[in-house]
Amino acid sequence: MANVETQILDEVIVASRRKMLTLGVSSLAGLVMGASATAAKAATAYTDADILNFALNLEYLEANFYYLAAFGTTIDKANAASTAAGAPLITLSGTVGTAGTVSGGSQVPFTTIPVASYALETAVEEGKHVQLLLSALGSAAVAQPAINLGTSFQTLAAAAKIPGGAAFSPYASDATFLVGAYVFEDVGVTAYHGAASLLTSSANLTTAAGILAVEAYHAGLVRTTINYLDPTGANIAGYTNLISTLRAELSQAGLLGVAPSAYDSNPDDYGLADFQVSLAGGGNVTATRITDADSTNVVAFARNTTQVLNIVTGGGAVMGSTAVSPATGVFFPNGMNAGPNGFR
């Protein structure tokens, strides 16, 4: 006779494909070990509004990062630089919950026109992504959460074993800005891809697909520019390997410093300098991987909410019996804003 735990797992498996995709394998394991009430709560399916609010939290994060880097201000405060660039001023009132503040961050002292141009354009576009999602969600849009754009980068840089990571700042130079942008852009692509199958409205799917395409443009441009600045992979292009390894660890194992056994044979993230091309009559060129995708079908990787949360909170979406606790840490010190239960 099946015991209570196996009955719970059976119910979760047959309930819906959406629940399976949302939770992921590790979260399902947590349901088996937890009490039935915990399992039922964790198995709640996300609505379209939930998915778009999850994306909105990520866009709040990205937009503030780029606004600070390009203009020296946050998305809710205009200055001469943001106004001249046509960056939208975001009103943080009228949303569900209390808006959090942004800590850390400053304007980057850009010295190269291409990188400065990329920062300005992307800042404007990320601000408009926030506007678009706020419009799509209407009265269901959640408030901006508390966001850490200071010590968060140092925490992840140290965990990734980037040289001098404890003092790393994406606001120090063109090169470090690109590394900071690299942290975000591929994650955004995988998050939108992972959400696509969960959206039920064609209008919402169209919105998400359109944003995903622009995020992919951003990610490719970041990688291309890093490759141009460091064609041998000896410096910042090499950092991308360390960041990609950390992102894979967090998305697959869920904890800082715990490498999943499947990572080496089944990665879900590639840096620039882990790919070599042999030139006729010459040596190998290493920093050439511009697309972060499945190498078999060349399809962008997809991550569920738990995997994305583990990256942006540094493992805050803890697996197992405590999976019902909203994820907190790193970029989201108090977690994402998502109603009474939060994202897991």
Side-chain angles (χ1 to χ4, degrees):
M1 178 180 295
N3 57 28
V4 174
E5 288 79 7
T6 57
Q7 288 176 353
I8 292 170
L9 181 57
D10 288 342
E11 290 171 2
V12 171
I13 291 174
V14 301
S16 72
R17 176 174 177 267
R18 176 179 293 188
K19 292 177 183 179
M20 288 285 288
L21 290 171
T22 301
L23 290 169
V25 175
S26 297
S27 291
L28 285 175
L31 295 183
V32 179
M33 295 183 289
S36 59
T38 298
K41 185 176 181 181
T44 301
Y46 290 145
T47 65
D48 278 22
D50 291 327
I51 295 299
L52 293 186
N53 270 317
F54 186 85
L56 178 59
N57 276 272
L58 296 177
E59 295 294 348
Y60 281 137
L61 172 63
E62 284 191 283
N64 277 293
F65 167 72
Y66 283 109
Y67 269 53
L68 282 162
F71 313 128
T73 188
T74 51
I75 62 174
D76 59 322
K77 297 181 179 67
N79 63 11
S82 65
T83 300
L89 175 64
I90 306 299
T91 301
L92 298 182
S93 60
T95 49
V96 178
T98 303
T101 58
V102 178
S103 61
S106 61
Q107 193 166 14
V108 177
F110 292 110
T111 57
T112 59
I113 292 175
V115 180
S117 176
Y118 161 72
L120 261 65
E121 179 182 345
T122 305
V124 173
E125 291 167 354
E126 297 295 356
K128 290 183 177 181
H129 286 173
V130 172
Q131 279 189 322
L132 178 60
L133 289 172
L134 287 171
S135 176
L137 284 159
S139 61
V142 296
Q144 174 181 282
I147 293 173
N148 180 345
L149 288 171
T151 57
S152 53
F153 284 104
Q154 292 147 23
T155 298
L156 289 183
K161 298 180 174 58
I162 290 176
F168 176 83
S169 171
Y171 304 99
S173 66
D174 298 55
T176 61
F177 161 75
L178 289 169
V179 173
Y182 179 88
V183 170
F184 292 129
E185 293 299 347
D186 292 318
V187 177
V189 172
T190 61
Y192 279 105
H193 185 186
S197 63
L198 304 180
L199 292 167
T200 60
S201 160
S202 60
N204 290 335
L205 180 58
T206 298
T207 296
I211 296 176
L212 184 155
V214 174
E215 298 293 351
Y217 276 120
H218 294 168
L221 182 56
V222 168
R223 285 169 170 261
T224 302
T225 310
I226 289 175
N227 184 63
Y228 173 76
L229 294 179
D230 182 21
T232 67
N235 193 358
I236 58 172
Y239 295 173
T240 67
N241 276 27
L242 300 174
I243 293 168
S244 286
T245 297
L246 178 64
R247 291 192 306 212
E249 290 176 355
L250 288 171
S251 69
Q252 294 186 28
L255 296 171
L256 286 170
V258 180
S261 59
Y263 172 70
D264 290 334
S265 60
N266 186 33
D268 68 354
D269 210 313
Y270 291 110
L272 273 74
D274 64 359
F275 184 61
Q276 291 190 341
V277 174
S278 297
L279 299 177
N284 289 335
V285 176
T286 55
T288 53
R289 189 183 291 277
I290 304 304
T291 303
D292 192 18
D294 162 47
S295 58
T296 301
N297 299 310
V298 197
V299 173
F301 292 115
R303 292 187 173 106
N304 61 34
T305 53
T306 299
Q307 291 173 312
V308 173
L309 280 168
N310 274 325
I311 295 173
V312 297
T313 63
V318 180
M319 306 298 187
S321 60
T322 59
V324 295
S325 298
T328 63
V330 189
F331 295 113
F332 295 105
N334 299 325
M336 288 186 175
N337 277 342
N341 295 321
F343 290 112
R344 283 70 175 101

